[in-house]
Amino acid sequence: LIVEAGIDALRSFVDCLEEASKLVDAGDDSEDDNYYLWPSAIEDHEQNRHHRAPKDLLVYAVRDAAESLMEQHGEEVLDVIEEGGKSSIFTRIGLHLRRRWPKVDLAGTDELLQDTRMYRNPAFHHEVFHLLRTVFEDLSEETREAFFDDVQKGLSIESHTRQYIESFEREPTKEELDRDSRHYMFNRLIPVYEYLTGDWQQKWRELSHEFTISDHPDFLRYIGTAKHVPIEDPGDEEKLGPISVPDLINHLNEYVTSPETEGGTLRGLGLQLERLVEANPPKYTEYAASFKEFPPEIIQGYLSGVRGAVEEAESCDGFGWVSILQLCQWVIERPRDEKVRRGQYSRLDPGWGWTRKEIAQLLIEGLKKKKNSIPYSSRESIWNALRPLTDDPQPTQEEDRRTMRPMDLAINTVRGWAMHAVVQYALWVRRELEKQVGGGEQMAKGLDIMPEVREVLCEHLDPDHEPSLAIRAVYGQWFPWLVLLDPKWAQTALDRIFPKEPDQQRYFEAAWETYISFCRPYTNVFHMLRNTYVFAVDRIGQWTDVQDRFSDPDKQLAEHLMMVYAHGVINLEDDLMQGFHEKASDELRAHALRTLKECVPESRNLPVSKEIGERLRMLWTSRLGEARNGPRSYTKEFSAFGVWFGSGIFEKDEDDLRQLKESLSFAQWTDPYFSVVERLGELSDDYPNLTLECLSLLVEIDKEGWLAMGNKDAIRTIITHAKEGRTPESHELAVALVHRLGSKGFLEFRDLVD
């Protein structure tokens, strides 16, 4: 194509790549877009070994096409590439071409590199690195000065501090910031160090004594192959496994107390201990309290091993929970940010934060076991370990303001896990009381029998005390179980969990999204939340940051409403159903209908109940009635009715075929078309004319030819029954359809023409 069509072919490839980039970068307005989803290098490179998707092949096609045309049409090629789209991938291809053909448009390259944003955008790092190495000597004095001025500005302290806190859960010290700033300057100078003179050359010499050039400085992130460097392990698991626990503790103490032991070694010991405990928990859990005084890496590894063992076990029998909880309590009493690190720049937890999170997760696993969970006699000890975690400073307000979704942040922070554990604790208390004599009366008292839980739940619903959206998401996720625990309390807390005031919109969205995404519409909970559902219907299409959400809250709302309708909780005249159909787009209404497939049996040997079938038929009839007079589009909505008709949930009924025919007149397609055609084939003996008319509509709608390609037997059956029909009209219509199929290239039906 390039040989024959030249620049026109290149433009065609660029157009394809632009379409692909819109899909990759959809909804992302950030400066560096989703650059990590594209090939790591524009040139052929082993770092691209995992980038073989169609979008990546388009990048290579554009690159190869452009390279083949650069000698004859250099500047025009650069224009086509660099004006190809908004995505960073086009700029990167342009930078690659400018590096390989530096003399084609040196003035343009010079002007491009005067924009210092090129140096700080991670998307361009690899290509800018090599371009600077190639052309720096030929750049104008003005451009080189712009480069050095930007290097001199140094690290973005605010951004670097934010990333540091995210990684280490603490702010960097002044010494750490100074060192990181020098390292940043060193890395910026690597591609041009051969061209440095004067003060900059002296600066490079000084930095070179402190830092060394990495193996792959042209990549911000380099993934090696077939090479694994293990964490330094001072012991052999096979040798450590057989020895007694007291001897193991002495062995660990030798390394922990050694002044030569570094963080990596401690982490290696922790991983070894984790595997030992998980493999044989009864041997180690009775000695849990003996691991006090060990550093966080060791204790975290130990507790992680216990958690892994609990997850795999059917019950908690044989676990020394008294000793385990004593160890947990000892950790909780330590200052959370106690500086226990030896290495100044260790990428390990600087205190006890990670271990505290491990404790919360361990308690959840032990409490949620339905069979032989943590003994009820440990209730006070469990709460003493859990209660302080609910006041952990993480998540911070800074973390809450980031782009991470509230429900995700909740399971990545100590306080978030602790609040999940509080609900598990309450459910555990309820189950244990249920086993006792008079347990029913006790359970009826709700949170009165566990005032400690009520205190924490009320405390964290106060925005002044608990501003985190992540914690509000926990309430949404567990709301049906809060209703189970104490319906009266849940009713009184309803407006605090799902506040409707405009200034608390974010709190509502955090709780509602998790509820609507994770919970089924249980009838009792639905009735309690009815006004909240009405509020959510009024807000259709008004959610903030939809692209960053776990799922589309409007689609989840549609699924809930369809489920409660199908099971008779609400009817068509209900203001919720009417409000939804009034507010919802064609696409959202179609999604609502498709979700009702849960009411449609996967096998025709499992018929849907008569009541549900009749309600689905009523909804179909109602939607057609509106569409006849409605000014809106219904194409997507009516294409979704195919899943119902094709499932065979209705009896052989002429009215259903007439409704299908009318639905197809509104729709652009029906889905799944193959089951619809198959069902038409089954009905064609009894209703030859109607089934043929529906098939004819489908053939006209089908622009791609998939229908005729995949349903030949059913199509032949429908046409044959129509030809054998009782009227001349059906015979003529059948022959006309054969000719129509032939005009679309499907000649295998021509034997049906007399």
Side-chain angles (χ1 to χ4, degrees):
L1 283 172
I2 290 296
V3 170
E4 295 298 328
I7 290 292
D8 287 338
L10 176 63
R11 287 196 179 95
S12 180
F13 292 169
V14 167
D15 288 343
C16 292
L17 183 57
E18 182 181 11
E19 289 301 311
S21 72
K22 290 176 182 177
L23 298 175
V24 174
D25 303 333
D28 196 323
D29 297 325
S30 62
E31 188 174 286
D32 55 7
D33 57 50
N34 297 310
Y35 71 92
Y36 49 85
L37 298 178
W38 294 103
S40 301
I42 300 301
E43 74 273 15
D44 287 333
H45 200 287
E46 65 88 19
Q47 285 296 285
N48 294 339
R49 61 186 178 275
H50 299 304
H51 289 277
R52 303 300 300 171
K55 66 176 177 60
D56 305 315
L57 301 182
L58 278 172
V59 173
Y60 309 143
V62 170
R63 176 201 66 196
D64 294 345
E67 288 181 347
S68 68
L69 295 169
M70 278 297 290
E71 294 293 345
Q72 290 79 27
H73 309 282
E75 292 193 23
E76 188 176 2
V77 169
L78 289 173
D79 288 340
V80 171
I81 296 294
E82 293 174 341
E83 294 174 5
K86 296 179 180 179
S87 175
S88 64
I89 193 63
F90 293 102
T91 304
R92 292 180 58 200
I93 297 173
L95 292 168
H96 165 78
L97 296 172
R98 289 180 180 278
R99 187 251 294 192
R100 288 205 57 196
W101 283 270
K103 298 187 183 301
V104 166
D105 183 26
L106 185 59
T109 301
D110 191 90
E111 182 179 354
L112 188 68
L113 293 177
Q114 284 183 25
D115 184 354
T116 55
R117 289 176 299 180
M118 298 294 295
Y119 307 124
R120 293 183 180 260
N121 190 327
F124 305 141
H125 175 81
H126 180 75
E127 283 71 38
V128 167
F129 184 97
H130 288 285
L131 181 59
L132 284 172
R133 178 168 280 184
T134 303
V135 304
F136 192 77
E137 190 175 26
D138 298 322
L139 296 176
S140 67
E141 188 66 27
E142 181 182 4
T143 301
R144 281 186 281 178
E145 284 299 322
F147 169 78
F148 286 127
D149 286 346
D150 191 64
V151 173
Q152 190 68 53
K153 285 180 183 177
L155 202 61
S156 172
I157 299 300
E158 181 180 351
S159 174
H160 183 68
T161 300
R162 190 163 55 247
Q163 293 173 5
Y164 198 99
I165 294 172
E166 184 176 350
S167 298
F168 306 126
E169 299 179 16
R170 67 176 178 87
E171 291 189 4
T173 64
K174 183 179 182 305
E175 292 75 17
E176 289 168 337
L177 280 177
D178 289 344
R179 181 186 185 278
D180 290 346
S181 294
R182 294 194 302 276
H183 197 203
Y184 171 82
M185 181 178 291
F186 174 77
N187 286 330
R188 287 289 307 276
L189 293 174
I190 290 174
V192 302
Y193 75 89
E194 295 176 349
Y195 307 115
L196 298 177
T197 59
D199 292 343
W200 281 106
Q201 187 179 57
Q202 180 60 33
K203 173 66 72 176
W204 170 257
R205 288 172 180 164
E206 293 171 2
L207 293 170
S208 297
H209 286 104
E210 185 176 4
F211 307 106
T212 58
I213 300 176
S214 65
D215 291 338
H216 305 281
D218 52 334
F219 288 99
L220 291 175
R221 181 170 175 263
Y222 187 89
I223 302 175
T225 57
K227 182 181 180 181
H228 174 65
V229 180
I231 296 175
E232 182 183 355
D233 282 341
D236 186 333
E237 263 179 79
E238 294 184 3
K239 295 178 180 177
L240 294 179
I243 67 175
S244 67
V245 179
D247 287 343
L248 173 64
I249 291 173
N250 291 332
H251 173 80
L252 294 175
N253 261 318
E254 290 180 14
Y255 287 96
V256 168
T257 57
S258 171
E260 298 178 358
T261 302
E262 293 293 335
T265 303
L266 291 175
R267 183 59 183 145
L269 280 167
L271 290 172
Q272 283 188 340
L273 185 58
E274 177 182 340
R275 292 189 287 264
L276 290 171
V277 174
E278 188 171 355
N280 190 4
K283 174 180 177 179
Y284 297 94
T285 52
E286 291 293 341
Y287 289 90
S290 301
F291 285 87
K292 295 176 184 178
E293 307 299 339
F294 277 106
E297 292 84 8
I298 303 298
I299 296 180
Q300 185 192 354
Y302 176 88
L303 294 174
S304 181
V306 176
R307 176 165 64 92
V310 173
E311 286 178 354
E312 294 297 322
E314 292 186 4
S315 74
C316 291
D317 282 352
F319 288 78
W321 284 106
V322 172
S323 188
I324 292 170
L325 291 170
Q326 287 176 358
L327 176 61
C328 293
Q329 188 63 45
W330 181 84
V331 172
I332 297 301
E333 292 170 356
R334 306 270 66 72
R336 184 191 190 280
D337 297 319
E338 181 180 11
K339 296 187 182 300
V340 290
R341 296 278 70 76
R342 286 180 172 79
Q344 185 181 7
Y345 302 105
S346 171
R347 299 191 66 80
L348 298 171
D349 184 12
W352 292 95
W354 295 358
T355 312
R356 288 162 71 94
K357 184 163 65 174
E358 191 66 58
I359 290 172
Q361 292 173 288
L362 169 59
L363 292 177
I364 288 174
E365 290 301 325
L367 291 167
K368 73 181 185 182
K369 288 290 181 187
K370 296 294 194 303
K371 180 181 178 183
N372 295 328
S373 58
I374 304 175
Y376 190 64
S377 57
S378 297
R379 175 176 172 176
E380 184 177 355
S381 299
I382 294 171
W383 188 253
N384 288 339
L386 178 55
R387 180 63 176 89
L389 298 180
T390 64
D391 291 326
D392 191 272
Q394 190 196 33
T396 63
Q397 291 191 43
E398 174 64 26
E399 288 172 318
D400 223 49
R401 284 192 290 267
R402 292 185 202 148
T403 56
M404 184 180 286
R405 297 181 295 248
M407 67 179 74
D408 292 337
L409 185 59
I411 58 172
N412 281 280
T413 54
V414 179
R415 197 163 77 253
W417 275 114
M419 293 303 292
H420 281 291
V422 166
V423 181
Q424 289 287 2
Y425 168 86
L427 293 170
W428 169 75
V429 170
R430 188 180 190 275
R431 286 196 305 273
E432 293 297 321
L433 290 175
E434 192 176 11
K435 300 174 185 176
Q436 300 177 7
V437 177
E441 295 179 7
Q442 289 283 84
M443 288 162 48
K445 297 178 182 178
L447 295 181
D448 287 345
I449 57 174
M450 43 187 118
E452 67 274 28
V453 172
R454 181 171 52 201
E455 178 187 9
V456 169
L457 291 176
C458 292
E459 192 176 88
H460 289 273
L461 278 177
D462 179 359
D464 293 331
H465 174 83
E466 178 58 86
S468 174
L469 299 176
I471 303 306
R472 195 59 60 94
V474 177
Y475 285 85
Q477 183 173 340
W478 289 102
F479 187 74
W481 288 268
L482 295 176
V483 174
L484 172 68
L485 287 165
D486 193 330
K488 290 182 180 179
W489 180 88
Q491 182 69 63
T492 60
L494 183 62
D495 289 336
R496 285 176 289 161
I497 296 174
F498 303 105
K500 300 176 179 62
E501 294 81 4
D503 62 337
Q504 296 200 39
Q505 175 180 331
R506 291 280 187 173
Y507 288 106
F508 173 83
E509 292 186 356
W512 182 252
E513 181 190 6
T514 46
Y515 165 74
I516 205 78
S517 299
F518 284 96
C519 305
R520 293 177 63 84
Y522 301 103
T523 301
N524 63 323
V525 179
F526 176 81
H527 286 310
M528 185 179 291
L529 285 173
R530 181 182 175 83
N531 290 336
T532 309
Y533 276 96
V534 171
F535 182 73
V537 167
D538 289 338
R539 285 177 48 81
I540 286 176
Q542 300 177 37
W543 288 82
T544 57
D545 306 327
V546 172
Q547 295 292 340
D548 293 328
R549 297 196 175 277
F550 176 79
S551 58
D552 186 333
D554 289 339
K555 289 184 177 180
Q556 299 295 325
L557 171 64
E559 294 178 20
H560 275 225
L561 293 180
M562 290 300 108
M563 289 296 291
V564 294
Y565 167 74
H567 290 91
V569 180
I570 59 176
N571 56 40
L572 285 174
E573 291 72 36
D574 194 291
D575 56 354
L576 270 172
M577 288 292 284
Q578 293 187 356
F580 171 77
H581 284 118
E582 181 181 337
K583 294 274 291 185
S585 64
D586 186 22
E587 183 177 0
L588 184 57
R589 298 194 307 273
H591 177 80
L593 296 176
R594 289 193 187 96
T595 62
L596 276 173
K597 65 179 180 289
E598 293 185 26
C599 300
V600 175
E602 293 183 6
S603 167
R604 292 179 188 173
N605 296 323
L606 298 171
V608 71
S609 72
K610 255 186 179 179
E611 292 78 9
I612 290 180
E614 186 55 33
R615 295 181 72 78
L616 297 184
R617 188 196 300 270
M618 289 170 58
L619 177 58
W620 193 3
T621 303
S622 171
R623 299 308 301 147
L624 277 171
E626 179 184 314
R628 292 186 194 109
N629 304 308
R632 299 192 292 172
S633 171
Y634 297 87
T635 55
K636 294 180 180 178
E637 179 178 6
F638 281 99
S639 70
F641 280 108
V643 72
W644 299 6
F645 180 85
S647 69
I649 62 172
F650 304 129
E651 298 293 331
K652 290 184 178 181
D653 194 309
E654 189 174 356
D655 289 341
D656 294 327
L657 281 167
R658 294 190 185 282
Q659 291 206 152
L660 175 65
K661 179 182 174 182
E662 188 174 4
S663 296
L664 292 174
S665 69
F666 289 108
Q668 293 176 339
W669 188 233
T670 189
D671 192 26
Y673 65 86
F674 53 87
S675 64
V676 171
V677 176
E678 183 182 342
R679 182 65 176 153
L680 288 173
E682 294 173 358
L683 298 175
S684 61
D685 192 21
D686 294 326
Y687 307 103
N689 285 14
L690 270 175
T691 52
L692 186 68
E693 289 169 5
C694 290
L695 178 60
S696 298
L697 283 170
L698 282 169
V699 170
E700 290 306 314
I701 292 171
D702 178 26
K703 304 301 182 187
E704 304 294 334
W706 297 112
L707 182 141
M709 190 178 297
N711 297 270
K712 293 177 182 178
D713 291 343
I715 291 172
R716 178 173 287 274
T717 299
I718 296 168
I719 295 174
T720 300
H721 283 147
K723 278 188 64 185
E724 297 169 353
R726 302 177 184 86
T727 64
E729 290 80 5
S730 65
H731 185 280
E732 288 180 15
L733 187 58
V735 172
L737 182 57
V738 173
H739 287 307
R740 186 73 184 101
L741 288 166
S743 73
K744 289 185 167 224
F746 298 98
L747 306 179
E748 55 266 50
F749 303 106
R750 57 186 166 189
D751 63 294
L752 297 175
V753 177
D754 297 334

